[in-house]
């Protein structure tokens, strides 16, 4: 049996082991420190992104508010225009009524009444018309108990 003698001295082996241990611990500590630094960088980046997102949300809110204000102003304008249209229609109707009132006679009203009844009868819809006889001045006549027509009391 031959024993081979290692040329390395025990001190060199201990120093090499200690050096390897120190380098391993150093690498481990460096890795932990690097991870913490990365974590801090990520936190700062997240905070920066969060601030940017908050700024974008604030700008969007301002833009949405401005759009809502414009829409509300448009609705106000439309409402004003509709009111103006109703006013103009009322003025036109008043003028038409004034013109009709100048020539309106009881005979003309009776003629329009007869035309309306005739149109109802010809329409074929809801043409069950009850004719009520009228007396002097267009007052309806109501049949009495004995079958004799009676004139409604005048005021």
């Amino acid at each position: 049996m031959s024993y081979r003698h290692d040329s390395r001295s025990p001190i060199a082996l201990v120093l090499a082991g200690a050096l390897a241990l120190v380098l391993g611990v150093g690498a481990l500590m460096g890795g932990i420190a690097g991870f913490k630094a990365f974590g801090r960088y990520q936190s700062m980046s997240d905070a920066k992104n969060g601030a940017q997102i908050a700024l974008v949300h604030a700008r969007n809110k301002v833009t949405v508010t401005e759009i809502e204000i414009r829409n509300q102003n448009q609705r106000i304008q439309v409402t004003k225009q509709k009111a103006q249209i109703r006013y103009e229609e009322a003025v036109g109707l008043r003028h038409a009524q004034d013109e009709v009132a100048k020539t309106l006679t009881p005979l003309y009203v009776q003629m329009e009444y007869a035309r309306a009844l005739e149109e109802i009868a010809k329409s074929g819809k809801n043409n069950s018309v009850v004719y009520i006889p009228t007396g002097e001045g267009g007052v309806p006549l109501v049949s009495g108990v004995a079958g004799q027509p009676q004139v409604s009391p005048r005021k």
Side-chain angles (χ1 to χ4, degrees):
M1 292 197 315
S2 81
Y3 286 97
R4 214 163 132 191
H5 184 358
D6 197 357
S7 62
R8 294 186 208 161
S9 69
I11 295 177
L13 285 175
V14 170
L15 284 177
L19 182 63
L21 183 64
V22 168
L23 286 175
V25 169
L28 182 64
M29 295 301 282
I32 292 172
F35 185 73
K36 285 184 179 178
F38 177 74
R40 279 194 303 270
Y41 170 78
Q42 190 64 38
S43 295
M44 289 180 355
S45 177
D46 290 346
K48 186 177 179 184
N49 288 343
Q52 289 174 343
I53 290 171
L55 182 62
V56 168
H57 282 291
R59 286 181 184 157
N60 286 346
K61 209 171 195 180
V62 168
T63 303
V64 167
T65 302
E66 289 172 351
I67 291 170
E68 287 174 351
I69 289 171
R70 281 196 302 264
N71 287 345
Q72 188 65 22
N73 287 336
Q74 287 177 343
R75 285 192 289 272
I76 289 170
Q77 286 297 85
V78 167
T79 303
K80 284 181 180 179
Q81 289 173 347
K82 286 180 180 178
Q84 184 66 31
I85 289 169
R86 285 193 306 267
Y87 172 78
E88 294 297 330
E89 286 174 349
V91 168
L93 185 58
R94 185 185 70 222
H95 288 302
Q97 288 174 341
D98 288 345
E99 286 300 313
V100 169
K102 288 178 186 176
T103 59
L104 191 62
T105 64
L107 187 58
Y108 178 76
V109 173
Q110 287 176 353
M111 182 188 71
E112 285 297 319
Y113 177 68
R115 282 186 187 167
L117 291 175
E118 185 178 353
E119 286 297 319
I120 291 172
K122 287 180 181 178
S123 72
K125 301 177 196 168
N126 193 19
N127 54 4
S128 324
V129 178
V130 177
Y131 290 95
I132 300 175
T134 57
E136 190 176 325
V139 177
L141 300 174
V142 181
S143 173
V145 179
Q148 298 295 325
Q150 296 178 346
V151 178
S152 299
R154 294 187 188 200
K155 293 182 182 183

